Amino acid sequence: METAGGTTNREEIRQKLKTHFPGKIVRKDLTKKIKEGANVPVYVLEFLLGQYCSSDDEEIVKAGVENVKKILSANFVRPDEAQKVLSVLRQHGSHTVIDMITVSLNIKQDYYEASFSNLGLTGIPIADEYPEKYDRLLCGGIWCIVQLNYDAEGTENLDIILPSENSPQGNNRKQKNIYPISIRNLTPIQMPHVDMDELKRGRQAFTKEEWLDVMLRSTGMEPDSLTYREKWLLLTRMIPLVENNFNLCELGPRSTGKSHLYKEISPNSILVSGGQTTVANLFYNMASHQVGLVGLWDCVAFDEVAGIKFKDKDGIQIMKDYMASGSFARGKEEKAASASMVFVGNINQSVDVLLKTSSLFDPFPPEMGTDTAFLDRIHGYNPGWEIPKFRPEHFTDDYGFISDYLAGFMRELRKEQYGDALDAYFRLGKNLNQRDTIAVRKMVGGYIKLLHPDGRFSKDEVEEILQMALEMRRRVKEQLKKLGGMEFYDVNFSYIDNETFEEHYVSVPEQGGGKLIPEGLCNPGQVYTVSHGKNNMIGVFRLESQMLPGSGKFERTGIGSDRECKEAVNTAYNYLKANGRRISGSISTTAKDYIINYQDLQGIGMTHRLALPTLIAICSIALNKSVQSSLVALGEISISGTLMKVDELANTLQVCLDSGAKKVLLPITSAADLGTVPPELIGSFQLIFYSNPEDAVFKALGVE
């Protein structure tokens, strides 16, 4: 149920929109109703609705909708009915059509000619004023309402000699120059010009929350059915439309509207469906010397990333170059373009499974999904799994901007820069490298353009935006750390307040900072260790023990039939039998039975470095004494008690940190490898060294 406050707020927003943006708003439910029956782009539909239905009077709206339906059925050209439309045009001598028009200059004949996409006409002469006035006609074409004339009498004007008086050949030659169809008038269905001052003045009448709702309603979503965080995630999708050369990735479940914005709402973005493309199509065609999609559109979105394929071998390399610098080299010259890249696709497993077994970039094709250099160029990762699956109540029936106006001012906003807005209040922490900084600044700039296009914002508003931007970038970095190891260890993103010098850290919700190793004391017999699992990834393992009266039996569960694991566990028990007295006289291996359960917490396959943690676990339960809080035991021992050092110490410590460990038990043999570990990482723990297995047990249990 909607609260009374919610209703008045909606009414308030509606009134403000009518006052400040007359003629530029439309009721989105009307769009929805007609859209279901007519396959026209949303911005074409809303242009007509804005003209005929911008009223409060239900009767006028009703009549307007009927009018729009009539116009669409009479004038919108369906490709299969092209010949019928031409026949109507010939009968009546004139006809108005709605179609996608592209204009090119015929250099040999020195005149402009228009091509009609659905009507299938090409080479129709068009007056010079139109391409000069609407330059988009020359750059990929725009939807227009066009009045066409059909003049069969035009033959007289061209001094055509009739066949009876001359040979057929001469007539044929002349006939080629006749085109009875001419363009009388052309009106683009896209706003040719957007008054930015009006937008900025209008924005000042709204609060930030109201404006956020208006922006979402303009894309057809109903903000009242979304949480505050979901609104921000949907807003993130718009950043590529207001920011130049911004690369966004969004993977999530099906039917969460990932490609809707880029396909339906904005006439300035193109969706490459199916993912297959060529370098010539995307960047530059060497044969025709034409720039590809990145030069013609503001945003190029790839649908279904799993299927992205380049027919050329160097496609991904050129793409990497473009994503980093906004330019690419083809042939002898370097070309620059400003199109943003968006990668959307589906995740088939749950996020938890992906995080445990591979990375969040797993759905990408292998040549991209494992290439850290490519992934590092993605500026932000929008968590698509947090957005609800869309149902009818998620679509609005309230007022929002006409899609065309929305797309128009978004395009204008690309020319402005707000990336430095954070400098007045904050500075970024030292864990962000140059690429991270660029990415965060681009996102801060993008959010500000969307929420504060008038350039007025407070410190708190910038802080909220900055936190969001840092999270989006950190999500990319966390996955890079998984794939690339120590090269990307610095993921603890933070920002520093310029006034108070306080440092605030930003985490990523799905990473779950310290969930694996809990704070505070565990039960006796519970031990955590970190080492390489079966598939060679480093993960966290937990041992839980029980002691019963008995005859010295030792049971182990959770390790299956793995021979190496069993041997390691037996090594620990046999060592205890031989040397238990040295640890404590109260540990009995004859009058008690022990059960230990081994758990692989990250699903990477059981480790076989289990002798030392098993020894600590048995001693802990036998003495009824808990292991120190937030401790991880590293290292391994042989049957004679020889210490073995930790493999890949830096990466292992990084996993300890991510899992929430605060103390690390290390063999003294690993002390020599500390030089390979970044100092910040060493500083995150209390390191406790042990020189033999008994020493390890004492220190783990905190016994001096």
Side-chain angles (χ1 to χ4, degrees):
M1 284 287 292
E2 205 171 48
T3 59
T7 315
T8 52
N9 189 27
R10 280 180 83 153
E11 192 52 48
E12 238 173 82
I13 294 177
R14 206 172 297 160
Q15 286 310 327
K16 285 181 183 177
L17 280 173
K18 284 173 185 166
T19 313
H20 297 280
F21 298 101
K24 295 185 176 65
I25 54 173
V26 68
R27 254 180 50 203
K28 295 289 172 173
D29 60 330
L30 304 178
T31 311
K32 204 162 51 187
K33 277 178 197 157
I34 303 181
K35 175 77 184 134
E36 285 159 6
N39 192 13
V40 288
V42 169
Y43 46 89
V44 172
L45 200 50
E46 291 191 349
F47 176 83
L48 296 170
L49 288 170
Q51 283 189 321
Y52 293 101
C53 308
S54 55
S55 165
D56 280 346
D57 189 336
E58 276 300 317
E59 289 302 310
I60 297 177
V61 169
K62 217 170 184 177
V65 169
E66 288 309 311
N67 212 347
V68 170
K69 283 183 178 170
K70 259 189 221 136
I71 291 171
L72 283 174
S73 65
N75 305 112
F76 179 72
V77 182
R78 284 178 40 183
D80 55 342
E81 292 181 352
Q83 289 303 315
K84 183 178 152 188
V85 173
L86 290 174
S87 163
V88 169
L89 171 63
R90 183 170 176 261
Q91 279 169 18
H92 296 291
S94 67
H95 188 58
T96 304
V97 297
I98 298 175
D99 203 346
M100 173 96 160
I101 315 285
T102 316
V103 173
S104 57
L105 177 63
N106 184 331
I107 293 180
K108 286 182 182 166
Q109 307 277 338
D110 187 33
Y111 70 94
Y112 287 105
E113 49 187 34
S115 323
F116 291 67
S117 166
N118 290 355
L119 202 52
L121 293 176
T122 53
I124 307 284
I126 182 169
D128 294 3
E129 60 179 291
Y130 295 117
E132 284 165 10
K133 202 165 160 190
Y134 313 118
D135 53 356
R136 287 289 300 276
L137 285 164
L138 298 161
C139 318
I142 48 177
W143 284 84
C144 303
I145 297 178
V146 188
Q147 289 176 324
L148 294 175
N149 279 359
Y150 192 98
D151 187 11
E153 308 299 306
T155 49
E156 291 170 14
N157 310 340
L158 292 166
D159 300 328
I160 299 291
I161 305 152
L162 294 171
S164 57
E165 292 176 33
N166 204 348
S167 65
Q169 292 85 1
N171 185 34
N172 287 348
R173 186 173 54 78
K174 289 266 181 162
Q175 202 73 31
K176 283 184 183 168
N177 298 332
I178 302 168
Y179 225 116
I181 297 175
S182 60
I183 295 173
R184 190 166 78 201
N185 193 7
L186 176 146
T187 314
I189 300 187
Q190 282 170 14
M191 296 211 166
H193 175 67
V194 175
D195 182 353
M196 289 306 286
D197 293 334
E198 179 193 40
L199 174 83
K200 291 175 179 179
R201 279 198 305 278
R203 163 66 185 90
Q204 289 166 21
F206 297 81
T207 64
K208 182 194 78 184
E209 283 76 15
E210 289 175 342
W211 188 255
L212 177 59
D213 287 1
V214 170
M215 289 298 280
L216 292 180
R217 283 201 186 107
S218 304
T219 64
M221 305 314 321
E222 178 46 69
D224 288 356
S225 62
L226 300 164
T227 65
Y228 188 59
R229 179 161 169 86
E230 285 164 359
K231 291 182 192 180
W232 272 87
L233 297 181
L234 288 178
L235 189 75
T236 307
R237 288 177 178 171
M238 298 184 203
I239 297 180
L241 298 170
V242 294
E243 200 59 42
N244 292 325
N245 302 104
F246 176 75
N247 311 314
L248 179 73
C249 163
E250 179 176 343
L251 304 178
R254 287 158 183 78
S255 83
T256 53
K258 294 185 288 292
S259 54
H260 168 74
L261 179 72
Y262 310 111
K263 190 170 176 68
E264 292 287 349
I265 305 295
S266 172
N268 305 323
S269 69
I270 187 166
L271 188 72
V272 180
S273 315
Q276 193 150 357
T277 183
T278 59
V279 173
N281 176 35
L282 197 55
F283 295 106
Y284 189 72
N285 190 327
M286 304 276 286
S288 66
H289 300 290
Q290 281 182 325
V291 173
L293 297 176
V294 293
L296 298 176
W297 298 88
D298 289 352
C299 171
V300 179
F302 291 90
D303 201 6
E304 304 298 338
V305 289
I308 297 180
K309 269 201 212 62
F310 274 101
K311 292 181 181 166
D312 326 62
K313 289 210 170 40
D314 56 350
I316 287 177
Q317 292 307 322
I318 293 177
M319 198 170 194
K320 278 198 287 203
D321 178 21
Y322 174 73
M323 283 165 75
S325 61
S327 60
F328 53 91
R330 279 295 269 161
K332 291 180 180 172
E333 52 191 326
E334 191 169 352
K335 299 274 176 197
S338 63
S340 298
M341 292 243 174
V342 179
F343 302 92
V344 294
N346 297 324
I347 286 182
N348 297 322
Q349 302 118 308
S350 77
V351 175
D352 304 347
V353 172
L354 270 185
L355 285 169
K356 281 179 182 174
T357 54
S358 56
S359 79
L360 290 176
F361 289 115
D362 192 51
F364 274 84
E367 59 271 24
M368 291 179 173
T370 53
D371 182 347
T372 51
F374 171 82
L375 298 174
D376 198 15
R377 288 165 163 80
I378 293 176
H379 296 126
Y381 189 137
N382 203 21
W385 52 89
E386 290 188 39
I387 293 169
K389 283 185 177 269
F390 286 158
R391 292 188 305 280
E393 65 262 26
H394 287 114
F395 296 98
T396 188
D397 50 11
D398 214 328
Y399 281 91
F401 292 127
I402 296 174
S403 308
D404 207 43
Y405 181 64
L406 180 76
F409 76 70
M410 279 183 165
R411 190 160 211 208
E412 284 298 311
L413 284 168
R414 291 174 83 89
K415 297 172 186 169
E416 301 188 11
Q417 289 305 322
Y418 287 116
D420 54 356
L422 60 97
D423 295 340
Y425 308 108
F426 305 102
R427 46 178 213 275
L428 297 170
K430 59 180 184 301
N431 261 359
L432 284 90
N433 61 27
Q434 183 58 19
R435 254 197 196 137
D436 303 327
T437 307
I438 291 171
V440 168
R441 284 190 182 279
K442 274 187 185 283
M443 270 180 282
V444 168
Y447 281 125
I448 285 180
K449 286 178 195 179
L450 290 165
L451 287 173
H452 309 281
D454 53 342
R456 299 183 178 191
F457 37 81
S458 66
K459 181 177 176 179
D460 292 346
E461 288 167 339
V462 173
E463 186 165 15
E464 186 177 26
I465 286 172
L466 181 57
Q467 285 172 345
M468 202 70 191
L470 283 165
E471 182 204 310
M472 295 291 166
R473 174 63 187 170
R474 181 165 175 179
R475 191 167 285 109
V476 174
K477 204 71 182 283
E478 286 280 0
Q479 302 315 305
L480 285 172
K481 185 180 78 179
K482 266 194 168 172
L483 296 163
M486 267 340 278
E487 187 187 347
F488 302 102
Y489 77 92
D490 44 359
V491 292
N492 288 319
F493 286 3
S494 60
Y495 61 95
I496 299 156
D497 190 317
N498 283 344
E499 286 173 22
T500 61
F501 296 109
E502 267 182 275
E503 190 163 12
H504 302 273
Y505 287 89
V506 174
S507 62
V508 187
E510 69 273 3
Q511 254 355 81
K515 281 181 192 161
L516 290 175
I517 299 170
E519 286 191 28
L521 284 176
C522 299
N523 296 332
Q526 196 168 326
V527 178
Y528 288 88
T529 183
V530 170
S531 59
H532 286 265
K534 231 199 206 103
N535 64 6
N536 224 20
M537 282 174 74
I538 302 173
V540 184
F541 303 89
R542 178 166 66 205
L543 285 68
E544 291 187 305
S545 346
Q546 263 317 334
M547 179 174 71
L548 305 163
S551 57
K553 285 206 286 290
F554 178 46
E555 278 185 47
R556 50 214 179 281
T557 59
I559 54 176
S561 57
D562 192 298
R563 186 178 57 83
E564 286 182 303
C565 294
K566 283 182 176 168
E567 284 176 2
V569 169
N570 290 339
T571 299
Y573 196 58
N574 293 333
Y575 182 86
L576 188 69
K577 278 183 184 170
N579 305 296
R581 292 271 163 245
R582 297 216 309 253
I583 297 172
S584 168
S586 55
I587 298 176
S588 168
T589 51
T590 52
K592 301 283 186 198
D593 289 350
Y594 298 96
I595 306 167
I596 297 188
N597 173 247
Y598 297 87
Q599 294 164 8
D600 168 10
L601 295 183
Q602 286 174 302
I604 59 171
M606 188 48 72
T607 180
H608 46 79
R609 295 171 180 80
L610 290 172
L612 181 84
T614 304
L615 180 67
I616 296 172
I618 298 175
C619 295
S620 166
I621 192 84
L623 299 169
N624 195 25
K625 196 161 176 45
S626 297
V627 169
Q628 291 197 53
S629 62
S630 310
L631 176 104
V632 169
L634 300 183
E636 187 58 322
I637 55 168
S638 68
I639 188 74
S640 62
T642 312
L643 302 187
M644 297 173 206
K645 65 179 194 176
V646 180
D647 300 332
E648 290 190 51
L649 184 60
N651 286 343
T652 305
L653 286 176
Q654 185 63 54
V655 173
C656 292
L657 179 68
D658 296 343
S659 313
K662 298 203 173 55
K663 299 174 184 154
V664 176
L665 193 65
L666 264 181
I668 196 75
T669 48
S670 288
D673 297 341
L674 285 175
T676 63
V677 182
E680 305 91 281
L681 196 52
I682 298 175
S684 312
F685 305 109
Q686 180 184 340
L687 295 180
I688 307 167
F689 290 101
Y690 60 90
S691 48
N692 56 45
E694 293 83 35
D695 189 29
V697 172
F698 293 144
K699 283 177 174 165
L701 301 178
V703 180
E704 291 305 320

